[in-house]
């Protein structure tokens, strides 16, 4: 059974870089897309982006200029960096396994436990 | 591109059936049979309930079913139980520019 555990800094100042890591246990990164999704407090879900095969990435157009998603296959981890954060980036951030590599369409399962990141001066 | 449109709330009594709609456009829901649904209980991560419009992952109750007509996808929960009370989100593939869109979420109350 695949499980995801994520961690990273929970309090940032405006203009700093958000950095989160998600470790995959009980399975391999290979053969799947790995996504990051966020949820502002009391609001809905927003897809941030995804990565597969350590190099192919797709990003939400509204965040593309500020986001980098990467994987470290040696550690079975995926990471998210969001640059130049503002208060609008305050949210719970989730990692999730996406669809199999040769399949289209959203299929996020399982999810990490979520990390609340607050941006405040 | 805008989020998919869901009703803010729906309610039902135990044993009843309810349907949650998810309206998109011809660029997303209407063009692809690639809609998924997620259940989120307070303080928890979302859980996949339906993918590719109507497929259920292993372990999800057959009381949950999905369908699509035109630009609108639907999640139906039959035989409502108090444990079904949660927020529900739809999600659709939206092509190679936008990729993934979520709905705004629907709060289900089981009265």
């Amino acid at each position: 059974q695949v499980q995801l555990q994520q961690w990273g800094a929970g309090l940032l100042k405006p203009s700093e870089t958000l950095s989160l890591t998600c470790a995959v246990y009980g399975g391999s990164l290979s053969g799947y897309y790995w996504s990051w999704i966020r949820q502002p407090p009391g609001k809905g879900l927003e897809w941030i982006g995804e990565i597969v095969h350590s190099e192919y990435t797709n990003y939400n157009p509204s965040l593309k200029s500020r986001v980098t998603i990467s994987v470290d296959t040696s550690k079975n981890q995926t990471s998210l960096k969001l640059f130049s954060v503002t208060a609008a980036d305050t949210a719970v951030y989730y990692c999730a396994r996406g669809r199999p590599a040769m399949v289209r369409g959203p299929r996020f399962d399982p999810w990490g436990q979520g990390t609340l990141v607050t941006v405040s001066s | 591109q805008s989020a998919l449109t869901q009703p803010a709330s729906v309610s039902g009594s135990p044993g009843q059936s309810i349907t949650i709609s998810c309206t998109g456009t011809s660029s997303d829901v209407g063009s692809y049979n690639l809609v998924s649904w997620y259940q989120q209980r307070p303080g928890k991560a979302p859980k996949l309930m339906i993918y590719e419009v109507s497929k259920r992952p292993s372990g999800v109750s057959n009381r949950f079913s999905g369908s699509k007509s035109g630009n609108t996808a639907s999640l139906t929960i039959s035989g409502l139980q108090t444990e079904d009370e949660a927020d529900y989100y739809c999600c659709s593939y939206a092509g190679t520019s936008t990729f993934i869109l979520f709905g705004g979420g629907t709060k289900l109350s089981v009265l």
Side-chain angles (χ1 to χ4, degrees), chain A residues 37 39 43-47 50 57-61 94 99 103-109 111-114, chain B residues 32 34-36 38 40 43-48 51-52 57 89 91-93 97-100 102-104:
Chain A
I37 296 158
Q39 184 172 34
K43 296 188 177 181
L45 300 167
E46 181 181 32
W47 178 75
E50 64 186 1
T57 54
N58 296 311
Y59 296 123
N60 185 322
Y94 294 99
R99 65 192 188 279
V103 173
R104 289 193 310 175
R107 189 191 311 182
F108 305 115
D109 178 50
W111 295 58
Q113 79 277 20
Chain B
Y32 311 98
L34 297 173
V35 176
S36 53
Y38 301 86
Q40 186 179 34
K44 300 295 187 182
K47 174 187 176 184
L48 177 66
Y51 66 98
E52 292 178 10
Y89 292 91
C91 182
S92 176
Y93 180 67
S97 295
T98 304
F99 297 107
I100 303 292
F102 277 99

Side-chain angles (χ1 to χ4, degrees), chain A residues 8-89:
Chain A
L11 181 60
L12 298 174
K13 290 182 167 54
S15 81
E16 292 185 332
T17 297
L18 180 156
S19 182
L20 298 175
T21 300
C22 172
V24 179
Y25 299 100
S28 171
L29 288 173
S30 299
Y32 286 90
Y33 281 82
W34 297 88
S35 277
W36 288 88
I37 296 158
R38 70 180 183 178
Q39 184 172 34
K43 296 188 177 181
L45 300 167
E46 181 181 32
W47 178 75
I48 299 170
E50 64 186 1
I51 188 168
V52 67
H53 298 318
S54 302
E55 57 181 344
Y56 296 112
T57 54
N58 296 311
Y59 296 123
N60 185 322
S62 68
L63 298 170
K64 185 175 182 177
S65 63
R66 298 194 292 129
V67 174
T68 297
I69 294 174
S70 60
V71 296
D72 184 334
T73 53
S74 67
K75 295 181 178 179
N76 225 31
Q77 295 173 355
T78 176
S79 295
L80 168 71
K81 289 189 184 300
L82 181 64
F83 306 99
S84 302
V85 298
T86 70
D89 295 312

